[in-house]
Short mmCIF file of all heavy atoms in Angstrom, two decimals:
data_model
loop_
_atom_site.label_atom_id
_atom_site.label_comp_id
_atom_site.label_asym_id
_atom_site.label_seq_id
_atom_site.Cartn_x
_atom_site.Cartn_y
_atom_site.Cartn_z
N SER X 576 -50.30 87.29 22.18
CA SER X 576 -49.50 86.99 20.99
C SER X 576 -49.26 85.48 20.95
O SER X 576 -49.38 84.80 21.97
CB SER X 576 -48.17 87.73 21.04
OG SER X 576 -47.41 87.19 22.09
N PHE X 577 -48.90 85.03 19.78
CA PHE X 577 -48.70 83.59 19.63
C PHE X 577 -47.65 83.35 18.55
O PHE X 577 -47.70 84.00 17.49
CB PHE X 577 -50.03 82.93 19.25
CG PHE X 577 -50.08 81.47 19.56
CD1 PHE X 577 -50.08 81.03 20.89
CD2 PHE X 577 -50.11 80.53 18.54
CE1 PHE X 577 -50.12 79.68 21.17
CE2 PHE X 577 -50.15 79.18 18.83
CZ PHE X 577 -50.15 78.74 20.14
N PRO X 578 -46.71 82.44 18.80
CA PRO X 578 -45.65 82.23 17.79
C PRO X 578 -46.18 81.49 16.56
O PRO X 578 -47.13 80.72 16.67
CB PRO X 578 -44.62 81.37 18.52
CG PRO X 578 -45.40 80.65 19.57
CD PRO X 578 -46.52 81.56 19.97
N PRO X 579 -45.56 81.72 15.39
CA PRO X 579 -45.99 80.99 14.19
C PRO X 579 -45.61 79.51 14.28
O PRO X 579 -44.63 79.17 14.94
CB PRO X 579 -45.24 81.68 13.06
CG PRO X 579 -44.07 82.32 13.69
CD PRO X 579 -44.46 82.65 15.10
N VAL X 580 -46.38 78.67 13.62
CA VAL X 580 -46.08 77.24 13.60
C VAL X 580 -45.84 76.80 12.16
O VAL X 580 -46.08 77.56 11.22
CB VAL X 580 -47.23 76.40 14.19
CG1 VAL X 580 -47.44 76.71 15.64
CG2 VAL X 580 -48.50 76.58 13.37
N ILE X 581 -45.37 75.54 12.03
CA ILE X 581 -45.19 74.98 10.69
C ILE X 581 -46.41 74.13 10.37
O ILE X 581 -46.80 73.25 11.15
CB ILE X 581 -43.93 74.07 10.65
CG1 ILE X 581 -42.67 74.88 10.92
CG2 ILE X 581 -43.83 73.34 9.31
CD1 ILE X 581 -42.31 75.86 9.83
N GLY X 582 -47.06 74.40 9.25
CA GLY X 582 -48.25 73.63 8.90
C GLY X 582 -48.74 73.98 7.53
O GLY X 582 -48.05 74.66 6.76
N GLU X 583 -49.94 73.50 7.24
CA GLU X 583 -50.52 73.81 5.95
C GLU X 583 -51.96 74.23 6.20
O GLU X 583 -52.74 73.51 6.81
CB GLU X 583 -50.46 72.58 5.05
CG GLU X 583 -50.85 72.88 3.64
CD GLU X 583 -51.92 71.95 3.15
OE1 GLU X 583 -52.70 71.43 3.97
OE2 GLU X 583 -51.99 71.76 1.93
N ILE X 584 -52.32 75.42 5.73
CA ILE X 584 -53.57 76.03 6.13
C ILE X 584 -54.80 75.18 5.78
O ILE X 584 -55.64 74.93 6.65
CB ILE X 584 -53.68 77.44 5.52
CG1 ILE X 584 -52.65 78.33 6.24
CG2 ILE X 584 -55.08 78.02 5.67
CD1 ILE X 584 -52.53 79.72 5.72
N ILE X 585 -54.86 74.66 4.54
CA ILE X 585 -56.04 73.90 4.15
C ILE X 585 -56.21 72.66 5.02
O ILE X 585 -57.29 72.34 5.51
CB ILE X 585 -55.97 73.53 2.66
CG1 ILE X 585 -55.98 74.82 1.83
CG2 ILE X 585 -57.14 72.63 2.26
CD1 ILE X 585 -55.75 74.61 0.36
N GLY X 586 -55.06 71.97 5.24
CA GLY X 586 -55.10 70.77 6.07
C GLY X 586 -55.54 71.09 7.49
O GLY X 586 -56.38 70.40 8.08
N LEU X 587 -54.98 72.17 8.03
CA LEU X 587 -55.33 72.56 9.40
C LEU X 587 -56.81 72.89 9.51
O LEU X 587 -57.48 72.51 10.47
CB LEU X 587 -54.49 73.76 9.83
CG LEU X 587 -53.03 73.43 10.20
CD1 LEU X 587 -52.24 74.70 10.45
CD2 LEU X 587 -52.98 72.51 11.42
#
Side-chain angles (χ1 to χ4, degrees):
S576 67
F577 201 68
V580 296
I581 296 292
E583 189 232 27
I584 290 176
I585 297 173
L587 284 173

